[in-house]
Amino acid sequence: MKHFVVLAALLLSGPALAQSAGKPAAWGPGADDAAFAAMLKTSFKDKGIATLDRLKQDETQAFCSDPGAASSPAAAAQRERIEAANLATVKWPSDGKYLGDWKEGEKLAQSGRGLTWTDKADQPNGANCYNCHQITPQEISHGTIGPSLLGYGKVRGTSEDVLKATWAKIWNAKATNACSLMPRSGHMGILGEAQVRHLMALLLDPQSPVNK
């Protein structure tokens, strides 16, 4: 969510800032200067559960805010270190069970509700998976930012390695790709353990429409 807030601010305000500074707009370098920081503080305000702490970047977000530098060969070691740090945050199933109810997973995948100032802090969030992925063949309205997940479990199986890799991807996508566009759903508290189990079932349960 922090990525989306900062990206929206850049898209909406970048040209204006660049014009006032008398130089071309630039992504990455300069985005942490005083003018940019001041713009963020004056453009947003606390309202409901949407508070200004969302504007504070952690190391991973700061690293990925300059795509050119983050993807350069010179940053390879730092990328690996950041991925390792994110992998260390993954909380594995407390009872060792990876799969929940795929039907509940489908509901979560369909829901984009949550994290806005009109939501309540105790209201469960949706996973909003269809915003980026094709998942079940029955749903024709889906995004294409992420890869299609049709046949996910049918193709990969349900070995321990697959279960752990899939869980880690949902819990903290930066664990395997430092600058993944996928939100760190578990790590950032967007989804809880039971919800992640349901999404796992949607992807891996043989009875799920994903694998039919």
Side-chain angles (χ1 to χ4, degrees), residues 109-110 128-136 139-149:
Q110 291 280 358
N128 205 21
C129 304
Y130 279 104
N131 198 49
C132 298
H133 298 281
Q134 180 183 26
I135 303 176
T136 64
E139 177 56 76
I140 62 173
S141 178
H142 58 80
T144 57
I145 294 174
S148 171
L149 301 176

Side-chain angles (χ1 to χ4, degrees), residues 14-26 29-30 33:
L17 283 176
Q19 184 175 1
S20 65
K23 54 186 178 181
D33 63 18

Side-chain angles (χ1 to χ4, degrees), residues 54-67:
R54 297 186 182 192
L55 302 182
K56 298 177 182 177
Q57 291 188 319
D58 62 18
E59 181 186 17
T60 301
Q61 293 164 328
F63 174 73
C64 296
S65 289
D66 186 346

Side-chain angles (χ1 to χ4, degrees), residues 29-45:
D32 60 348
D33 63 18
F36 182 81
M39 179 274 293
L40 285 180
K41 288 183 179 180
T42 57
S43 297
F44 297 91
K45 62 181 179 180

